[in-house]
């Protein structure tokens, strides 16, 4: 892991891990609300029971958070997982009625809380695109 990746992975990993752990015991209504929002991006998740969806979401967020925090997970791999997650969140933001202004991009007051998650997509791209360090050959 590059030294410059540590703050990116630490802050983002802790944030996502905390979110995943907080969802461990979602009630049926909360899980159903998250499921309805998520089904705008992945319609197939609407076929799951809300409680099962809540558990799977908790497991996925916990695993992603840990992958970002564990130094032996390659940054590009952790970044790819973060890109999928944050890309889904951003797509959900764009597809949720009332979250954007008329232009379809800028957030409405209701959408600001979701639009801010774009920072995770930027971090994901940085982790994926950062060049690998080259090792020096001994002569």
């Amino acid at each position: 892991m590059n030294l410059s990746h540590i703050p990116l992975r630490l802050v983002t990993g802790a944030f996502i891990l905390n979110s995943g752990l907080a969802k461990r015991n979602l009630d049926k209504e909360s899980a159903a609300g998250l499921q309805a929002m998520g089904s705008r991006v992945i319609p197939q998740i609407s076929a799951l029971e809300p409680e099962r969806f809540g558990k799977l979401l908790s497991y996925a967020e916990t695993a992603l958070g840990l992958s970002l925090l564990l130094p032996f997970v390659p940054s590009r791999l952790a970044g790819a997982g973060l890109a999928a997650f944050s890309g889904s969140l951003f797509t959900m933001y764009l597809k949720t009625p009332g979250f954007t202004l008329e232009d379809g991009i800028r957030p409405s007051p209701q959408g600001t809380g979701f639009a801010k998650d774009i920072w995770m997509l930027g971090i994901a791209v940085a982790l994926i695109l950062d060049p690998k360090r080259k090792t020096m050959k001994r002569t």
Side-chain angles (χ1 to χ4, degrees):
M1 178 185 340
N2 291 343
L3 187 60
S4 64
H5 293 179
I6 293 173
L8 299 175
R9 291 179 65 163
L10 181 64
V11 171
T12 310
F15 183 85
I16 295 171
L17 177 62
N18 181 62
S19 179
L21 293 175
K23 290 180 175 83
R24 284 180 296 184
N25 298 310
L26 280 178
D27 60 75
K28 186 176 183 176
E29 283 184 27
S30 298
L34 291 172
Q35 183 180 24
M37 291 178 72
S39 67
R40 290 185 179 102
V41 178
I42 305 169
Q44 295 82 356
I45 65 172
S46 62
L48 297 170
E49 292 294 323
E51 294 92 346
R52 178 143 174 81
F53 170 76
K55 289 285 185 202
L56 291 172
L57 181 61
S58 173
Y59 298 152
E61 286 186 11
T62 300
L64 177 59
L66 286 172
S67 76
L68 287 158
L69 291 171
L70 296 172
F72 57 82
V73 176
S75 288
R76 288 187 178 173
L77 180 60
L82 181 58
F85 176 71
S86 58
S88 295
L89 287 176
F90 192 64
T91 303
M92 184 176 63
Y93 155 76
L94 292 173
K95 290 187 173 190
T96 301
F99 276 13
T100 62
L101 299 176
E102 291 81 27
D103 62 10
I105 300 290
R106 292 180 300 142
S108 68
Q110 299 87 351
T112 299
F114 286 89
K116 66 168 182 46
D117 289 336
I118 193 71
W119 62 272
M120 289 190 288
L121 189 55
I123 290 171
V125 171
L127 291 173
I128 293 167
L129 295 180
D130 195 35
K132 289 185 177 183
R133 285 189 285 178
K134 299 193 185 234
T135 57
M136 294 183 64
K137 292 183 180 180
R138 293 184 184 202
T139 55

PDB file of all heavy atoms in Angstrom, residues 27-41:
ATOM      1  N   ASP A  27     -34.675  -2.657  11.561  1.00  0.00           N
ATOM      2  CA  ASP A  27     -36.046  -3.135  11.636  1.00  0.00           C
ATOM      3  C   ASP A  27     -36.594  -3.268  10.212  1.00  0.00           C
ATOM      4  O   ASP A  27     -35.994  -2.787   9.255  1.00  0.00           O
ATOM      5  CB  ASP A  27     -36.904  -2.183  12.479  1.00  0.00           C
ATOM      6  CG  ASP A  27     -36.943  -0.779  11.905  1.00  0.00           C
ATOM      7  OD1 ASP A  27     -37.633  -0.573  10.895  1.00  0.00           O
ATOM      8  OD2 ASP A  27     -36.268   0.111  12.476  1.00  0.00           O
ATOM      9  N   LYS A  28     -37.728  -3.933  10.092  1.00  0.00           N
ATOM     10  CA  LYS A  28     -38.291  -4.245   8.779  1.00  0.00           C
ATOM     11  C   LYS A  28     -38.587  -2.976   7.974  1.00  0.00           C
ATOM     12  O   LYS A  28     -38.311  -2.921   6.773  1.00  0.00           O
ATOM     13  CB  LYS A  28     -39.559  -5.082   8.935  1.00  0.00           C
ATOM     14  CG  LYS A  28     -40.132  -5.564   7.629  1.00  0.00           C
ATOM     15  CD  LYS A  28     -41.320  -6.471   7.841  1.00  0.00           C
ATOM     16  CE  LYS A  28     -41.832  -6.987   6.507  1.00  0.00           C
ATOM     17  NZ  LYS A  28     -42.918  -7.946   6.671  1.00  0.00           N
ATOM     18  N   GLU A  29     -39.123  -1.948   8.611  1.00  0.00           N
ATOM     19  CA  GLU A  29     -39.455  -0.703   7.904  1.00  0.00           C
ATOM     20  C   GLU A  29     -38.215  -0.013   7.357  1.00  0.00           C
ATOM     21  O   GLU A  29     -38.208   0.443   6.217  1.00  0.00           O
ATOM     22  CB  GLU A  29     -40.205   0.257   8.828  1.00  0.00           C
ATOM     23  CG  GLU A  29     -41.649  -0.087   9.033  1.00  0.00           C
ATOM     24  CD  GLU A  29     -42.353   0.961   9.876  1.00  0.00           C
ATOM     25  OE1 GLU A  29     -41.932   2.137   9.885  1.00  0.00           O
ATOM     26  OE2 GLU A  29     -43.331   0.595  10.548  1.00  0.00           O
ATOM     27  N   SER A  30     -37.177   0.080   8.160  1.00  0.00           N
ATOM     28  CA  SER A  30     -35.933   0.725   7.709  1.00  0.00           C
ATOM     29  C   SER A  30     -35.294  -0.051   6.576  1.00  0.00           C
ATOM     30  O   SER A  30     -34.842   0.531   5.584  1.00  0.00           O
ATOM     31  CB  SER A  30     -34.946   0.846   8.870  1.00  0.00           C
ATOM     32  OG  SER A  30     -35.472   1.644   9.895  1.00  0.00           O
ATOM     33  N   ALA A  31     -35.274  -1.374   6.711  1.00  0.00           N
ATOM     34  CA  ALA A  31     -34.704  -2.214   5.653  1.00  0.00           C
ATOM     35  C   ALA A  31     -35.513  -2.074   4.368  1.00  0.00           C
ATOM     36  O   ALA A  31     -34.940  -1.979   3.273  1.00  0.00           O
ATOM     37  CB  ALA A  31     -34.675  -3.672   6.098  1.00  0.00           C
ATOM     38  N   ALA A  32     -36.834  -2.022   4.485  1.00  0.00           N
ATOM     39  CA  ALA A  32     -37.684  -1.874   3.302  1.00  0.00           C
ATOM     40  C   ALA A  32     -37.455  -0.526   2.627  1.00  0.00           C
ATOM     41  O   ALA A  32     -37.459  -0.428   1.386  1.00  0.00           O
ATOM     42  CB  ALA A  32     -39.151  -2.038   3.690  1.00  0.00           C
ATOM     43  N   GLY A  33     -37.241   0.524   3.407  1.00  0.00           N
ATOM     44  CA  GLY A  33     -36.962   1.842   2.834  1.00  0.00           C
ATOM     45  C   GLY A  33     -35.654   1.866   2.057  1.00  0.00           C
ATOM     46  O   GLY A  33     -35.581   2.395   0.947  1.00  0.00           O
ATOM     47  N   LEU A  34     -34.611   1.274   2.638  1.00  0.00           N
ATOM     48  CA  LEU A  34     -33.325   1.187   1.948  1.00  0.00           C
ATOM     49  C   LEU A  34     -33.435   0.318   0.704  1.00  0.00           C
ATOM     50  O   LEU A  34     -32.858   0.619  -0.344  1.00  0.00           O
ATOM     51  CB  LEU A  34     -32.253   0.640   2.883  1.00  0.00           C
ATOM     52  CG  LEU A  34     -31.817   1.545   4.020  1.00  0.00           C
ATOM     53  CD1 LEU A  34     -30.906   0.800   4.981  1.00  0.00           C
ATOM     54  CD2 LEU A  34     -31.139   2.794   3.485  1.00  0.00           C
ATOM     55  N   GLN A  35     -34.205  -0.756   0.814  1.00  0.00           N
ATOM     56  CA  GLN A  35     -34.396  -1.664  -0.306  1.00  0.00           C
ATOM     57  C   GLN A  35     -35.118  -0.953  -1.461  1.00  0.00           C
ATOM     58  O   GLN A  35     -34.741  -1.119  -2.622  1.00  0.00           O
ATOM     59  CB  GLN A  35     -35.190  -2.884   0.140  1.00  0.00           C
ATOM     60  CG  GLN A  35     -35.387  -3.923  -0.926  1.00  0.00           C
ATOM     61  CD  GLN A  35     -36.180  -5.103  -0.416  1.00  0.00           C
ATOM     62  OE1 GLN A  35     -36.949  -4.996   0.545  1.00  0.00           O
ATOM     63  NE2 GLN A  35     -35.991  -6.251  -1.038  1.00  0.00           N
ATOM     64  N   ALA A  36     -36.124  -0.156  -1.145  1.00  0.00           N
ATOM     65  CA  ALA A  36     -36.859   0.578  -2.185  1.00  0.00           C
ATOM     66  C   ALA A  36     -35.938   1.547  -2.913  1.00  0.00           C
ATOM     67  O   ALA A  36     -35.992   1.668  -4.142  1.00  0.00           O
ATOM     68  CB  ALA A  36     -38.043   1.313  -1.561  1.00  0.00           C
ATOM     69  N   MET A  37     -35.069   2.216  -2.162  1.00  0.00           N
ATOM     70  CA  MET A  37     -34.132   3.141  -2.800  1.00  0.00           C
ATOM     71  C   MET A  37     -33.118   2.381  -3.648  1.00  0.00           C
ATOM     72  O   MET A  37     -32.804   2.780  -4.763  1.00  0.00           O
ATOM     73  CB  MET A  37     -33.432   3.989  -1.735  1.00  0.00           C
ATOM     74  CG  MET A  37     -34.366   4.963  -1.059  1.00  0.00           C
ATOM     75  SD  MET A  37     -33.551   5.903   0.228  1.00  0.00           S
ATOM     76  CE  MET A  37     -32.536   6.958  -0.755  1.00  0.00           C
ATOM     77  N   GLY A  38     -32.608   1.287  -3.115  1.00  0.00           N
ATOM     78  CA  GLY A  38     -31.622   0.492  -3.840  1.00  0.00           C
ATOM     79  C   GLY A  38     -32.176  -0.158  -5.090  1.00  0.00           C
ATOM     80  O   GLY A  38     -31.459  -0.360  -6.074  1.00  0.00           O
ATOM     81  N   SER A  39     -33.465  -0.464  -5.073  1.00  0.00           N
ATOM     82  CA  SER A  39     -34.059  -1.125  -6.242  1.00  0.00           C
ATOM     83  C   SER A  39     -34.161  -0.191  -7.441  1.00  0.00           C
ATOM     84  O   SER A  39     -34.383  -0.649  -8.560  1.00  0.00           O
ATOM     85  CB  SER A  39     -35.429  -1.706  -5.899  1.00  0.00           C
ATOM     86  OG  SER A  39     -36.355  -0.680  -5.627  1.00  0.00           O
ATOM     87  N   ARG A  40     -33.965   1.099  -7.229  1.00  0.00           N
ATOM     88  CA  ARG A  40     -33.905   2.031  -8.362  1.00  0.00           C
ATOM     89  C   ARG A  40     -32.652   1.795  -9.195  1.00  0.00           C
ATOM     90  O   ARG A  40     -32.619   2.085 -10.373  1.00  0.00           O
ATOM     91  CB  ARG A  40     -33.932   3.467  -7.862  1.00  0.00           C
ATOM     92  CG  ARG A  40     -35.257   3.880  -7.296  1.00  0.00           C
ATOM     93  CD  ARG A  40     -35.255   5.366  -6.921  1.00  0.00           C
ATOM     94  NE  ARG A  40     -36.549   5.731  -6.402  1.00  0.00           N
ATOM     95  CZ  ARG A  40     -36.821   5.888  -5.112  1.00  0.00           C
ATOM     96  NH1 ARG A  40     -35.869   5.724  -4.217  1.00  0.00           N
ATOM     97  NH2 ARG A  40     -38.022   6.216  -4.710  1.00  0.00           N
ATOM     98  N   VAL A  41     -31.618   1.267  -8.559  1.00  0.00           N
ATOM     99  CA  VAL A  41     -30.356   0.992  -9.240  1.00  0.00           C
ATOM    100  C   VAL A  41     -30.288  -0.473  -9.671  1.00  0.00           C
ATOM    101  O   VAL A  41     -29.886  -0.788 -10.788  1.00  0.00           O
ATOM    102  CB  VAL A  41     -29.149   1.332  -8.328  1.00  0.00           C
ATOM    103  CG1 VAL A  41     -27.841   1.016  -9.011  1.00  0.00           C
ATOM    104  CG2 VAL A  41     -29.206   2.794  -7.912  1.00  0.00           C
TER     105      VAL A  41
END
